[in-house]
Amino acid sequence: MAPAPHCPVAPPYPADPTAPTPDTLTYSFTLPAALASSALARAATREVLRLHGLTDMLDPALQAVAELSAVACRFAEAPDFYLSLRYRAATLRLIAYDSHPRHTNPRLATECQARRRSALRVLSCVCRACDGDWGFGESRDPGGGTRMWATLPRATAATY
């Protein structure tokens, strides 16, 4: 049976047979803002790093993902949050976005930032031990909210 004249035939896209490498690590997840999501984010990260040959970074990466996910769930005002994993320039970049907006009242903004900073103490220690970086700030995305990040250079994360 021939396709209808108004429905174009989709071109065939063969699967890419190239094995994953560190430089092709680019993943994004939308996860529920729920207690179980930190474990789910760790499990997904473990598998992604394994597939891309970055198992030497597992310990600090899993700790960082756990911290970012737990804090995103704690502060989220929406039913989900977003987690991004990227590997560029020999550095693993982890970003979590939650829906918690910046407070307009300066006192509340300072208090909220202190709570978030306190909740990310372990992330701070992991990044410092790996000569990485971390932080948080207002999301640049149109939906607003808060962006938290951690960077882990492979050379130092592998010796964590």
Side-chain angles (χ1 to χ4, degrees):
M1 175 178 206
H6 62 282
C7 294
V9 176
Y13 290 105
D16 184 356
T18 308
T21 66
D23 291 330
T24 62
L25 192 152
T26 302
Y27 293 85
S28 300
F29 305 96
T30 300
L31 299 159
L35 292 175
S37 288
S38 185
L40 181 58
R42 283 191 317 272
T45 300
R46 179 181 293 110
E47 187 62 17
V48 163
L49 292 178
R50 186 189 67 73
L51 285 171
H52 288 269
L54 293 168
T55 56
D56 54 342
M57 301 182 72
L58 272 175
D59 288 343
L62 295 178
Q63 187 65 57
V65 163
E67 296 296 313
L68 290 169
S69 298
V71 173
C73 288
R74 179 176 174 194
F75 281 84
E77 294 182 2
D80 53 25
F81 71 98
Y82 176 82
L83 180 66
S84 169
L85 312 173
R86 304 281 186 266
Y87 186 82
R88 298 290 179 270
T91 300
L92 182 63
R93 302 169 195 287
L94 310 166
I95 303 173
Y97 295 90
D98 65 60
S99 56
H100 188 77
R102 182 172 171 81
H103 295 278
T104 55
N105 178 304
R107 183 184 61 74
L108 289 176
T110 300
E111 185 178 315
C112 189
Q113 288 175 359
R115 287 181 61 216
R116 194 178 287 262
R117 190 172 286 106
S118 177
L120 293 168
R121 274 190 315 264
V122 173
L123 178 67
S124 172
C125 293
V126 170
C127 289
R128 186 172 40 253
C130 295
D131 292 328
D133 190 24
W134 72 280
F136 60 88
E138 192 169 1
S139 174
R140 298 178 209 145
D141 287 344
T146 301
R147 173 182 173 258
M148 298 177 290
W149 70 89
T151 60
L152 302 170
R154 186 175 188 182
T156 49
T159 62
Y160 177 78

